[in-house]
Amino acid sequence: MADTTMNIPEALPLSPKVKALRKAWQDVEANLNKYRQEHSQYAPRKTLNALNEYVSHVPALREAEKALKAAEIEAVANSKPLPDRSKVLGPIEKAVEEYRRTVPALEELVTRARKAFEDGVREELVPMGRKEAQKASQARDAWEKAYKAMETARESLELHSGLFTWCVSAGDMDTHPRYGHSQGDHLEYWELTEDGRLSWEASQALDFLDWIVKVPGLIESNPNPPVVEEVNHNPKPSYFLAKDSGHEASWF
C-alpha cells in the first residue's frame, strides 16, 4: 500500500462531501482489516527454522500437509490406497491463492479511496484556510482582551496586596514582602479565612514574617503552633554526700 501523503488534523472542518469521502476510505480500510483477520491462516508468514534462517510458510497449508502426511502413513500401515492429495490440499491451496489475489485488490481500493479523500481536502484548502484565518483573528482579539483584563487584575492585585501590607505592618512597608522576588511573588497563594483574615498558609507562602506583622487580627494565627518545651528555672539543688573511708563520695 502507498504511504499516506497528508496528515490531516482531526479538527479540520470538512464539508459533508469530503466527510463522505473520508467515510468511504475508512469503510474500505475496515473491510481490508476484517478480511485479513478472518483469513489470517492463509497469509504467508516468516519464521526461524532450526538453522536460524527465515522460512516462509502458510499456516493453513502447513496444517493440511501434516494431516495429509499422517493419513498417508496410516494408509500405508493398513495397506490401503493413499489419500487423494488434491482433495486434501486442493481447497486449502485455492483459499491461499484467493487470499494472495484479494489482499492486493483491497489494498488498491484503500489507496484509491484515500487519494479521493485527500484530493477532496485539497480542493477545499482555500475556503477552509480563509475560515480558519477569520477564526484565528477572532481568537487573537479575544486573547488580547483577556490579556488586558489579566494585566488590569494583576495591577489591582499588586495595589491591594501592598495596601494590606501597609496596614499589617503599621505603615512600615507599602509593598507585599515578595515584591520583585527572583523566585516569584507567590501572590497566587493569596487566600482568606471565612472571617476575612489572610490564611496562615498564605501568609507563610507570602513571607509575612513576625517582624513584618505588627497589627494583630489581619492574619490567621498558626493553627498548629510549635510545642515549647518548658524549662525548669528552679532546679532541685544537688547535695554532696561524703562516704566513710574506703567508699566514693557522690552527688544526689
Side-chain angles (χ1 to χ4, degrees):
M1 287 179 62
D3 294 334
T4 57
T5 56
M6 294 183 73
N7 184 16
I8 301 173
E10 288 291 330
L12 197 65
L14 304 175
S15 68
K17 175 185 174 182
V18 177
K19 286 182 180 180
L21 292 172
R22 180 177 61 187
K23 178 66 165 53
W25 158 60
Q26 292 172 339
D27 289 346
V28 175
E29 190 169 52
N31 290 338
L32 170 61
N33 294 334
K34 180 181 179 182
Y35 182 86
R36 279 177 166 163
Q37 183 178 3
E38 293 178 350
H39 301 80
S40 60
Q41 68 272 29
Y42 304 120
R45 299 180 187 177
K46 287 186 177 181
T47 56
L48 287 173
N49 60 13
L51 300 176
N52 203 30
E53 299 172 337
Y54 280 102
V55 293
S56 180
H57 72 279
V58 176
L61 196 56
R62 173 178 284 186
E63 292 300 318
E65 289 173 344
K66 287 182 180 179
L68 176 61
K69 185 176 182 180
E72 289 173 342
I73 294 173
E74 184 178 357
V76 171
N78 295 321
S79 301
K80 292 183 178 180
L82 292 173
D84 189 338
R85 183 182 184 283
S86 62
K87 289 185 178 180
V88 177
L89 299 182
I92 305 299
E93 292 174 341
K94 181 179 179 181
V96 171
E97 178 65 13
E98 181 178 334
Y99 182 91
R100 186 186 69 81
R101 298 168 62 187
T102 301
V103 169
L106 287 173
E107 288 177 340
E108 179 60 26
L109 290 176
V110 171
T111 300
R112 293 180 182 182
R114 173 74 187 194
K115 184 178 183 303
F117 169 50
E118 291 180 352
D119 289 345
V121 172
R122 288 189 179 93
E123 291 176 0
E124 296 187 354
L125 289 179
V126 172
M128 283 193 300
R130 289 177 178 174
K131 288 181 180 178
E132 294 308 310
Q134 183 64 31
K135 291 179 181 178
S137 180
Q138 295 171 352
R140 183 261 179 201
D141 293 342
W143 171 82
E144 183 178 12
K145 182 178 180 180
Y147 182 79
K148 289 180 179 179
M150 181 195 71
E151 287 292 303
T152 300
R154 180 72 185 183
E155 292 172 2
S156 178
L157 178 57
E158 291 281 359
L159 170 64
H160 295 295
S161 62
L163 293 175
F164 171 85
T165 305
W166 189 90
C167 292
V168 79
S169 67
D172 287 349
M173 294 178 62
D174 58 3
T175 59
H176 58 82
R178 293 184 64 87
Y179 180 82
H181 199 288
S182 61
Q183 300 297 321
D185 55 28
H186 289 183
L187 286 176
E188 65 272 16
Y189 290 100
W190 198 279
E191 183 183 42
L192 301 183
T193 61
E194 292 183 358
D195 59 4
R197 293 177 295 166
L198 186 66
S199 71
W200 169 257
E201 290 79 7
S203 71
Q204 297 305 291
L206 292 161
D207 288 351
F208 278 99
L209 306 178
D210 290 344
W211 64 269
I212 297 176
V213 180
K214 297 180 179 178
V215 177
L218 291 175
I219 297 178
E220 179 186 27
S221 301
N222 187 353
N224 299 300
V227 177
V228 180
E229 184 178 354
E230 294 185 2
V231 179
N232 187 356
H233 295 286
N234 299 297
K236 181 180 179 181
S238 298
Y239 299 93
F240 185 79
L241 179 65
K243 298 289 185 178
D244 295 335
S245 177
H247 298 275
E248 295 182 357
S250 63
W251 291 90
F252 73 95

